[in-house]
Amino acid sequence: MRKSMAKTLFKTVLLLSIPGPVAFSAPVSGTKQNPDAQSVPLIVGAKVGLANVESISDQTIAYGVSIQYPLDQTIQVGATIDYWNKSSLGIETQQVQMDDLSFGGHARLMFNKAGATLQPFALAGLALHRFSVSIAEETDSEDPKIDRFRKVDDDVAGKLGFDLGGGANYDIQRNLEANGEILWRKLADSTANFDQLVFSAGLSYRL
């Protein structure tokens, strides 16, 4: 009988001792979580490329900076500032200098694959273009290109445009990635005739 009572007591003590380690291993309500586990990093980047602009025969170098904010694993929203300048537009006997400073907002759809270092994406957005034109030696030229440049120069309010494109990011290391992009920039004002196709490459860093 004593052996039976001893066995029963031993089993009771064993059962009571099980919840102890479980309780200590469970998270305590109200404790602070590791902020690094839940933080979503901003992504800043810079790029350089070639812009093919309608009404301009030669390509021009384009520069840009961007900031991205991931909403989740597949969608990012961001803002961009882009600039290009062309200072050797020889039309008849006149020299025309033109530049474009644009401010844009866009969304990216990321095609993520677990373990992949290459991440393709598609993007769409809007941009406000501020064109500036300088025409040396003003004459009464009847060249329609000159007239078009004059009209752009008079439009100081800027021009709204639509951006469509795609590209890919390549992970170099944990927070650094290289990227390439093709961007079609369509102006809402079709009379300006300065739509652009831009090929660019750059680097991005997760803060």
Side-chain angles (χ1 to χ4, degrees):
M1 184 174 180
R2 290 181 178 178
K3 291 182 178 180
S4 177
M5 292 179 62
K7 289 181 179 180
T8 303
L9 181 61
F10 177 76
K11 290 180 179 179
T12 302
V13 173
L14 182 62
L15 291 173
L16 290 175
S17 66
I18 290 176
V22 175
F24 283 105
S25 63
V28 180
S29 176
T31 58
K32 294 183 178 180
Q33 301 292 328
N34 183 1
D36 295 335
Q38 295 183 350
S39 62
V40 179
L42 291 175
I43 305 171
V44 295
K47 61 183 179 180
V48 63
L50 292 175
N52 295 280
V53 185
E54 289 191 34
S55 299
I56 297 178
S57 58
D58 299 327
Q59 294 178 328
T60 183
I61 299 177
Y63 308 90
V65 293
S66 64
I67 184 169
Q68 317 272 358
Y69 179 77
L71 297 179
D72 54 32
Q73 294 294 324
T74 59
I75 299 177
Q76 297 179 1
V77 294
T80 60
I81 301 176
D82 297 286
Y83 177 79
W84 58 259
N85 175 280
K86 191 66 175 176
S87 58
S88 59
L89 299 177
I91 301 177
E92 292 187 346
T93 60
Q94 302 186 43
Q95 288 294 324
V96 179
Q97 178 175 322
M98 180 177 182
D99 60 66
D100 175 22
L101 178 64
S102 63
F103 303 88
H106 62 260
R108 285 186 177 185
L109 176 62
M110 311 298 297
F111 300 98
N112 291 324
K113 185 178 180 181
T117 57
L118 187 66
Q119 298 180 336
F121 62 84
L123 70 84
L126 299 173
L128 182 64
H129 296 258
R130 176 62 176 87
F131 291 102
S132 176
V133 178
S134 175
I135 303 175
E137 300 180 9
E138 284 282 359
T139 64
D140 296 329
S141 172
E142 296 181 357
D143 192 320
K145 289 185 178 180
I146 293 293
D147 292 337
R148 187 178 299 118
F149 286 131
R150 289 195 183 103
K151 290 178 181 178
V152 172
D153 192 34
D154 292 337
D155 187 4
V156 296
K159 294 184 180 296
L160 182 66
F162 305 95
D163 292 343
L164 292 174
N169 297 330
Y170 180 81
D171 292 334
I172 299 176
Q173 56 185 22
R174 182 178 179 182
N175 292 327
L176 183 65
E177 59 188 18
N179 45 67
E181 183 180 283
I182 300 175
L183 187 64
W184 179 56
R185 318 198 78 174
K186 172 69 176 176
L187 296 182
D189 183 1
S190 60
T191 61
N193 198 26
F194 292 114
D195 297 341
Q196 306 166 25
L197 183 63
V198 185
F199 302 86
S200 63
L203 294 173
S204 298
Y205 184 80
R206 293 178 179 268
L207 299 178

